Structures are given as C-alpha cells and as structure tokens.
C-alpha cells in the first residue's frame, strides 16, 4: 500500500504542462538538431562565403552535441521551478559536458586540414605534406586535451597544482636525458623551414650523396646511387655543407678533346669552327655561355676545350643530350679528316750509320738495332 501511495503522490506531483513543454523543447534540440545545425551553417556560409565549408565539417559533430546538451539542460531547468539548483550533481555534469564539447571543437580545428594550417601553408610557404604541419597539429591537439582535462578536474574540485609541478619536473628530466634527440628535433624544424632540400631532391654532402626519400624530426633518409638507404641525424645535416643538384637551372658539361698532333692546320680550323657552330645552334644547349676553342697543344696531342650547359637537369635526359652531341662531334671530325689522339711512341732511325756497320739492308739494320739495345741493357 505504501508503494502505491508513493507512486500516486509522485504522479499527482507532476506538472503535466511543464513536462509537455520540456519534452517538446528537448525534442526540438535533440531530434531536429541535425537539421537546425545544418541550416545555421548554411546561413553562415551565405554571409561569410565558402570558407565555412571546412569549418562546417569540423564543427558539425560538436554543434550537434552542444544542441543536445542545451536541450537536456533547458528541459530540466524549465520543468523545475528552482531551475535544477537543488541538483548540484546534474549541474556539474552539464558544465563538464560543455567543457568536453568546447575541447572537442578546438581539437577538430587544430587538425592538419583545418583553415588555420591551410592559411599557414599559403602564407609561410610550407607544404601540407611537410612534417611541420602534422607536428604542430599534434602539439596543439595535445595542448587542447591537456587543458580540457585540467579544467574538468578543476570543475570537480581536484587540485591540479601538484600535477602541473610534477609535469614540469618530469619535462626537465626528459629534456636533460634527451639532449641529442632535441638537437635533432630542432635541426629537423630548421631543415623544414629553411628548405635546403626537399623530398626527391638529389643532394651531396661530405657524408653521403643520393636522393632524399624522407625527412623526419630525428633523421633524414637518403637513398644512394648504389640503391642503399643511409639514415643521417638531422643535426649533422643542418651543420653540413649541402649541394642540392636538383635546384640547378641548367646542367654543365665541360671536357677536353684530344686530337692527333699531326692534324692539318686548315682542316683543324674548319673542324673547330664547325664544332662551335654546332654547339651554338643546338636546341637543347643554353646559348648564354658556351666555349669551343683550340686550348693547347703538347708533344702528344692538340686539345680542344668544350664548355656549355644543357637546359635539362634530369640526369637521364642530360645523358641523352650529351650522347647525341658526342656522336655529332665524331661525325664532324670524320668528315674533316681529323683523328683522335692515341698514345704513341715514335722511333727515328739513323739509317746511314747502321748501314755502314751492317749488310746494307733494312732487315739487317733492324737486327743490328735490336742487338745494340740488348748490349746496352747489359
């Protein structure tokens, strides 16, 4: 009987009008929150432009959760005459919900694809694929989570001073124990911001030469031309002299061509002029600076000096252009009757002296010369 009496008193104490209005208010904010939030963002998009597209994607979930929480809180506050003041636990949960939703919104806004980082990539000049954007995004998200947890703990009466002090001492100990790692981290940030090289570049240092495959905060991966991977700490790269061959605007070609010392002067002059004209008219060679000149002559050869640049900096294409140039050089030399220099030794015989001692025939002279050399060697 007492049980039914309690139920009867509870039912009689319900304010059905307030309950109905509270339920309607709750339904509007929970069932129709998706529709209302969509309409709200569409209105903001019309006012502020397309930049609200990405913001809508990031804040859509927190906005719906916020409207649901507002519906629950509003319904409870409207139904009870005191506004739920006698329910401190409920009020604490509502405030905690608001803090979590705000932290959720900032967590989404600090993502690597947010408008904040999109504006940074366009103003600062860093690419979204660079490691600095994911790193900053992770740092900001960690800070958002830490601040959110700290505020929630303060809301429920927990002191966070000891936790903050402990984190400070722990951070100092970690920093002292990881000086080398921090040095590589700072060097990695310097490499990303200053950009002495990027992924895919061909670089040369005193330690390694090859193609950059990856740049992380601790080290960089270089694939050598022997197809091996060399991992170099960033602090070494940051202090090294780096030659970035991929940043060349054009590629240099320079070599000396040795011709036979007994080449005819007229033919040699004509061949050099034709070679210079060929380099000058070549479509894949930069015409701002090129040299094809008779450089020098020695006892063994005549030297023609070549100095020019190809437009392409790609190694395979550069080699193709150089091959075609070499074939054309050989063709011009052949047409002009000019031979390449070959290692040779010349022997001059005093035939009259040998014929006096020998039989007077070339064969005897040769045998006599060989005999005299063997005697001298003894």
């Amino acid at each position: 009987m007492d049980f039914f009496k309690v139920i009867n008193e509870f039912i009689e104490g319900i304010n059905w009008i307030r309950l109905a209005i509270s339920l309607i208010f709750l339904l509007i904010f929970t069932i129709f929150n998706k529709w209302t939030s969509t309409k709200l963002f569409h209105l903001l998009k019309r006012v502020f432009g397309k930049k609200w597209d990405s913001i809508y994607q990031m804040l859509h979930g927190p906005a719906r959760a916020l409207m649901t929480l507002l519906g629950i809180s509003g319904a409870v506050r409207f139904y009870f005459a005191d506004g739920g003041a006698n329910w401190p636990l409920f009020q604490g949960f509502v405030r905690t919900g608001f803090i979590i939703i705000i932290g959720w919104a900032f967590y989404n806004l600090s993502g690597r694809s947010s408008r904040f980082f999109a504006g940074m990539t366009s103003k600062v000049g860093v690419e979204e694929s660079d490691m600095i954007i994911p790193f900053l995004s992770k740092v900001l998200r960690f800070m958002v989570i830490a601040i959110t947890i700290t505020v929630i703990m303060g809301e429920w009466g927990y002191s966070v001073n000891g936790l903050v002090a402990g984190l400070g001492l722990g951070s100092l100990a970690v920093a002292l124990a990881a000086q080398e790692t921090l040095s590589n981290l700072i060097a990695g940030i310097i490499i990303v911001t200053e950009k002495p090289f990027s992924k895919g570049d061909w670089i040369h240092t005193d330690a390694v030469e090859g193609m950059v495959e990856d740049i992380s905060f601790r080290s960089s991966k270089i694939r050598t031309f022997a197809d091996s991977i060399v991992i170099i700490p960033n602090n070494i790269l940051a202090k090294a002299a780096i030659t970035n061959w991929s940043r060349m605007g054009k590629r240099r070609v320079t070599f000396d061509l040795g011709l036979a010392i007994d080449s005819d002067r007229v033919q040699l002059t004509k061949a050099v002029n034709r070679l210079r004209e060929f380099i000058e008219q070549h479509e894949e060679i930069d015409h701002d600076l090129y040299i094809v000149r008779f450089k020098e002559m020695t006892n063994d050869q005549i030297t023609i000096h070549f100095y020019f640049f190809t437009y392409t900096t790609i190694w395979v294409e550069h080699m193709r252009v150089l091959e075609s140039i070499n074939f054309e050089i050989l063709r011009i030399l052949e047409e002009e009757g000019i031979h390449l220099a070959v290692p040779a030794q010349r022997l001059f015989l005093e035939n009259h002296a040998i014929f006096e001692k020998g039989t007077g025939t070339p064969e005897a002279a040769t045998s006599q010369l060989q005999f005299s050399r063997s005697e001298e060697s003894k």
Side-chain angles (χ1 to χ4, degrees), residues 29 32-49 52 55-56 59-60 62-64 66-67 70:
F29 275 84
F32 300 104
N33 63 356
K34 181 178 179 180
W35 181 83
T36 52
S37 62
T38 302
K39 291 298 183 182
L40 175 61
F41 278 104
H42 279 308
L43 177 62
L44 294 175
K45 180 180 177 181
R46 289 182 180 180
V47 177
F48 296 102
W52 281 90
I55 297 179
Y56 170 75
L59 298 183
H60 183 62
R64 292 185 60 183
L66 178 62
M67 295 192 69
L70 288 174

Side-chain angles (χ1 to χ4, degrees), residues 276-305:
R276 188 183 302 112
E277 183 180 355
F278 163 69
I279 295 297
E280 180 182 3
Q281 296 178 356
H282 200 288
E283 294 181 352
E284 295 179 288
I285 293 178
D286 181 36
H287 299 148
D288 292 337
L289 177 60
Y290 60 91
I291 299 175
V292 181
R293 292 294 179 183
F294 184 162
K295 180 180 179 182
E296 62 183 359
M297 59 182 177
T298 63
N299 294 332
D300 300 324
Q301 67 179 16
I302 296 172
T303 302
I304 306 299
H305 181 65

